Amino acid sequence: MAPKRPDVTFLAPRAASARLSRRALLAGFGVVGLGALSACGKTTKMAASPPTDGKLESKLNLYSWGDYDNPELLDAFKSQHDILVQVDAYGSNEELVAKLSTSRGTSGYDVVVPTGSNIPQMLEHDLLQELDLSLIPNFEHMDPNFTHQYFDPDNTYSICKAWGTTGFVYNTTKIDRGLTSWQDFLDAAQKEAAGTTALLEDPWEVSAIALGALGFSLNTEDEGELDKARNIIVDDLAPNVKAYVGNAATSMIQGSFTLLHAYNGDARQGLTEVRDPENWKFVFPTPSANLWMDCWAIATGAPHPDSAHAFINQMISPDTAVDQLDYIGYPIGTKGLAEQAKKADLDEQDLIFPAQKVLDRLEPSKQTPADQIRTKILTDAQARSGA
């Protein structure tokens, strides 16, 4: 008798992946997907997916970021529906886009997880297929803050899988004044935290520090505004930067930093692991910051469309939301999740769930031709820092 197949099959190395932030995987990928998409401008027609018929297929192929779902939830889906779940992993949106664009609908993948800012370009090249929301009834439980985004106004192709924002965390024993804005960050980096500041290794996020302090749109394409931001980042900030990092938590635990540019979920991870969490404070800075969102979507040509819809429906269920949040470190966009997290007594809940007044002023990042300028700002800053 052949051995029983495992409930969930992983096709990518997972050693130590639980400590590697999904956002850290984005480090260095400030301009993602555009190159791969431009390469498929002259291609043949995409292969079609079989139509849904209400009968779940026996398999589901998930292509996502490494270790980005609670394995117990994946196994529960398999057990409930008797579906073999196969998981393959990528390390960047660019890798995802390249796989889907070159396969032209024959990748074999069903559910994929692009970042929202990549979705417009993916739709231009027919890499995602429309969702049938009647097969995803749990969509009614999604928080309006995370539906109807600019990249998919009617949620025709995507549903929020996880979201977060960017700010900074600082050691209050070294900086004993209150910091609230990006201008405060720049000031502290040049004073109390000179030589002990860390920035994210992400072109959009680094430029956003100066653009925010200047009062410009974080997505500006104006070369004059970006030039002013460059002067601040390269001339004023970079000489005081010790390192460019993917995950601020690791640097917090290391103990040699005073001020760190950070994704909120990574800062939360750091606060749960440092020896002196009472000496650290995270800031959702004014006037604005990024609202990033990763999304469930179905690849064009998906061979198992009914199972794909059923999987997404189960993964956005309020019944699984806290377990998913607790595992990946970021909320999944369902209504009432903050209340559920409170009942579950999760650590550092104020970092997971920004106040509504914070959410209202966040600006989702977009891909634009000016991303090339942002990439040059980062590389020049790293050279100036000696990093």
Side-chain angles (χ1 to χ4, degrees):
M1 179 180 295
K4 182 179 182 294
R5 298 188 69 179
D7 291 341
V8 181
T9 303
F10 290 90
L11 301 182
R14 302 182 63 202
S17 59
R19 307 317 309 158
L20 179 61
S21 161
R22 169 261 178 277
R23 301 307 301 174
L25 290 170
L26 287 182
F29 292 99
V31 184
V32 292
L34 293 176
L37 284 169
S38 62
C40 63
K42 296 182 179 179
T43 53
T44 59
K45 184 178 179 181
M46 297 287 284
S49 174
T52 56
D53 60 9
K55 298 179 181 179
L56 301 188
E57 300 85 4
S58 61
K59 295 181 180 179
L60 176 82
N61 298 324
L62 171 63
Y63 194 33
S64 183
W65 304 87
D67 206 35
Y68 202 24
D69 288 291
N70 187 325
E72 294 181 0
L73 297 181
L74 298 181
D75 194 58
F77 176 78
K78 185 275 174 187
S79 298
Q80 180 177 344
H81 301 288
D82 193 23
I83 293 174
L84 175 66
V85 179
Q86 184 165 278
V87 183
D88 204 351
Y90 51 83
S92 71
N93 282 286
E94 190 170 46
E95 187 177 345
L96 164 65
V97 167
K99 173 72 75 171
L100 297 185
S101 62
T102 56
S103 66
R104 306 306 297 163
T106 62
S107 68
Y109 295 120
D110 300 300
V111 177
V112 293
V113 187
T115 300
S117 57
N118 285 80
I119 288 178
Q121 288 80 10
M122 294 178 75
L123 294 181
E124 287 181 15
H125 295 271
D126 198 23
L127 302 184
L128 304 175
Q129 66 182 50
E130 290 191 19
L131 302 174
D132 183 345
L133 292 181
S134 71
L135 300 178
I136 310 177
N138 281 325
F139 180 72
E140 69 177 11
H141 299 297
M142 297 302 292
D143 187 325
N145 285 299
F146 313 109
T147 59
H148 308 296
Q149 298 295 308
Y150 79 89
F151 51 80
D152 188 11
D154 297 318
N155 290 104
T156 304
Y157 298 91
S158 64
I159 297 175
C160 178
K161 180 218 188 314
W163 63 271
T165 185
T166 313
F168 59 87
V169 60
Y170 66 98
N171 189 319
T172 58
T173 66
K174 305 291 181 60
I175 304 174
D176 60 2
R177 56 191 172 105
L179 306 181
T180 62
S181 68
W182 285 123
Q183 185 57 55
D184 290 340
F185 178 91
L186 291 168
D187 184 64
Q190 297 172 74
K191 295 177 181 177
E192 300 101 321
T196 58
T197 293
L199 298 184
L200 291 170
E201 194 178 15
D202 182 294
W204 193 96
E205 296 288 6
V206 169
S207 293
I209 297 172
L211 292 170
L214 291 165
F216 299 145
S217 167
L218 306 187
N219 287 301
T220 184
E221 297 181 54
D222 184 283
E223 293 188 12
E225 294 178 349
L226 286 166
D227 192 52
K228 291 179 181 179
R230 181 194 182 282
N231 291 338
I232 291 174
I233 297 298
V234 177
D235 297 335
D236 300 335
L237 180 57
N240 300 288
V241 173
K242 180 177 181 178
Y244 295 79
V245 301
N247 186 348
T250 303
S251 299
M252 290 173 65
I253 297 165
Q254 178 186 348
S256 61
F257 292 88
T258 302
L259 177 67
L260 301 101
H261 192 202
Y263 299 114
N264 62 313
D266 294 349
R268 173 179 175 264
Q269 176 189 330
L271 286 171
T272 61
E273 297 187 15
V274 294
R275 289 175 294 180
D276 54 350
E278 69 280 0
N279 293 334
W280 291 89
K281 181 178 180 180
F282 182 81
V283 176
F284 295 105
T286 58
S288 186
N290 189 11
L291 174 63
W292 62 262
M293 192 178 299
D294 291 331
C295 300
W296 294 116
I298 297 179
T300 298
H304 312 113
D306 284 279
S307 291
H309 283 86
F311 177 79
I312 294 173
N313 186 60
Q314 187 153 320
M315 295 303 287
I316 64 171
S317 167
D319 296 335
T320 65
V322 169
D323 288 338
Q324 183 78 320
L325 162 62
D326 192 33
Y327 188 84
I328 68 174
Y330 288 96
I332 70 170
T334 58
K335 291 184 288 190
L337 184 53
E339 290 77 11
Q340 292 184 27
K342 186 175 182 179
K343 291 180 181 178
D345 197 27
L346 297 188
D347 294 331
E348 304 292 346
Q349 294 176 43
D350 56 330
L351 268 69
I352 306 173
F353 302 104
Q356 187 63 47
K357 64 180 181 180
V358 174
L359 289 175
D360 290 343
R361 59 179 167 80
L362 298 181
E363 182 176 355
S365 60
K366 298 180 180 180
Q367 288 186 349
T368 73
D371 286 347
Q372 296 180 9
I373 300 176
R374 288 174 169 82
T375 299
K376 184 65 162 57
I377 290 173
L378 175 61
T379 55
D380 287 349
Q382 290 173 319
R384 185 71 181 272
S385 302

